[in-house]
Amino acid sequence: MRRVEHVMGFPVSLRVDDEGSWESAADALFAWLREVDARFSPFREDSEVSRLGRGEPAPDRISPELAEVLALSERYRADTGGAFDVRLPGRGLDPCAVVKGWSVQKGADLLRAAGARRFCLNAGGDVTAAGGPWRVGVRHPEDAGRLCAVVEL
């Protein structure tokens, strides 16, 4: 099964090579990604991230998912000596750099829970795969029409 949808501002592709019907698992995966976009987008006035950035709700009243993302973000900030920070000058709270990879990993967990064993999920370059081997091309940073590497997973 192969499916591509535009979610979180970029194409998300899913390929499941296991036998059987995977439409309901794909539906659940893409519903999860749309929920993530609605909750974490700093570009949506009504998202939980935007509301927290404005001071509503109180930090002790946020969802467990947002708490998890903020804890990961703080770990990355500490590990990089502050070079990575989701609180951007002039833009406020923007955890997108953490959320995309986090949501792809959670999406892979959903697929595994549904019984998928051989799949590849690519969300705008954040890739997770299971049951390889898979070959994933890495786009050249200076020439989008070329690859600079191919990684075996």
Side-chain angles (χ1 to χ4, degrees):
M1 188 225 35
R2 294 176 189 215
R3 185 159 153 188
V4 178
E5 289 191 20
H6 196 84
V7 184
M8 296 191 283
F10 44 82
V12 177
S13 65
L14 171 64
R15 177 176 162 178
V16 180
D17 284 355
D18 295 308
E19 295 292 323
S21 174
W22 293 97
E23 290 305 315
S24 63
D27 289 345
L29 167 73
F30 284 101
W32 158 250
L33 294 174
R34 285 189 295 277
E35 178 185 327
V36 166
D37 189 29
R39 174 174 288 161
F40 292 97
S41 175
F43 307 107
R44 293 176 172 217
E45 287 281 321
D46 63 338
S47 75
E48 186 177 11
V49 162
S50 292
R51 290 192 323 269
L52 181 64
R54 292 190 303 265
E56 42 172 283
D60 63 342
R61 309 272 299 168
I62 62 175
S63 68
E65 294 84 4
L66 181 53
E68 182 179 350
V69 165
L70 292 176
L72 278 172
S73 300
E74 177 55 25
R75 187 175 98 207
Y76 299 152
R77 189 199 61 74
D79 288 351
T80 63
F84 177 88
D85 198 335
V86 298
R87 287 169 176 81
L88 304 172
R91 286 192 43 202
L93 179 62
D94 183 352
C96 291
V98 175
V99 168
K100 191 167 68 153
W102 172 84
S103 66
V104 168
Q105 289 301 316
K106 296 285 187 180
D109 293 344
L110 289 173
L111 293 169
R112 285 186 192 94
R117 297 292 168 250
R118 181 169 165 71
F119 62 86
C120 184
L121 175 59
N122 180 349
D126 282 61
V127 178
T128 187
W134 294 95
R135 293 176 50 134
V136 177
V138 178
R139 185 174 59 191
H140 194 285
E142 297 170 358
D143 183 353
R146 291 186 359 198
L147 296 178
C148 64
V150 175
V151 179
E152 300 269 342
L153 305 175

